[in-house]
Amino acid sequence: MTMQDQMYLYFDQQLTTSKDRRQALLADDRGDEANFEQIRTNVYDIFKTILNVADKMPNPHAFFAAKLEEIPQNWKTSYEAALQHQDVVKIQQETIKLETLAQIKAAFAKAGGAQQ
């Protein structure tokens, strides 16, 4: 199984889990938590789309790895600003994005993408 195949499988599994979790939270009237879960879903969607674009590049591994570093720069900046302004909600939102990114990076490394 190629790195891309492994990553597509990973994203499909994570998206299904995240969407199911969001629906369960909404059913329990836990709207704030459901909104946070939607953020996680969005991050998975973004990087699944990036993987699709990477497939069309001469070096998909390098392209995807570069985007794993490039895209979250704004999230890190936003997190730092939220800390300075003590914006608890924004801190939580950016933390979710960065934690999800760390999970994606770990899956990418496990799939052998980081070594290419």
Side-chain angles (χ1 to χ4, degrees):
M1 185 180 286
T2 68
M3 180 280 297
Q4 287 93 330
D5 290 340
Q6 290 180 54
M7 290 305 296
Y8 279 118
L9 181 61
Y10 169 78
F11 284 125
D12 289 343
Q13 290 171 340
Q14 296 305 314
L15 284 163
T16 298
T17 299
S18 188
K19 289 174 183 177
D20 289 349
R21 195 173 317 142
R22 183 172 187 273
Q23 290 304 318
L25 290 166
L26 286 171
D28 287 345
D29 273 340
R30 296 164 61 187
D32 288 345
E33 291 173 77
N35 290 339
F36 290 146
E37 194 61 42
Q38 182 62 47
I39 292 168
R40 188 170 284 113
T41 299
N42 292 346
V43 172
Y44 288 127
D45 266 336
I46 288 167
F47 282 100
K48 184 177 179 184
T49 300
I50 295 297
L51 183 62
N52 190 26
V53 172
D55 283 345
K56 296 165 183 61
M57 298 293 164
N59 188 340
H61 299 89
F63 180 84
F64 190 77
K67 293 300 178 184
L68 283 172
E69 299 304 320
E70 180 184 318
I71 290 173
Q73 289 307 311
N74 288 337
W75 303 342
K76 293 173 184 174
T77 301
S78 182
Y79 175 80
E80 293 298 326
L83 279 178
Q84 287 179 341
H85 295 101
Q86 299 177 350
D87 184 342
V88 178
V89 172
K90 190 68 171 172
I91 290 169
Q92 182 65 27
Q93 291 170 339
E94 299 307 322
T95 297
I96 290 167
K97 291 176 188 176
L98 294 169
E99 287 173 350
T100 305
L101 172 73
Q103 294 167 358
I104 293 169
K105 283 182 172 183
F108 183 58
K110 184 177 178 184
Q115 300 169 4
Q116 301 294 322

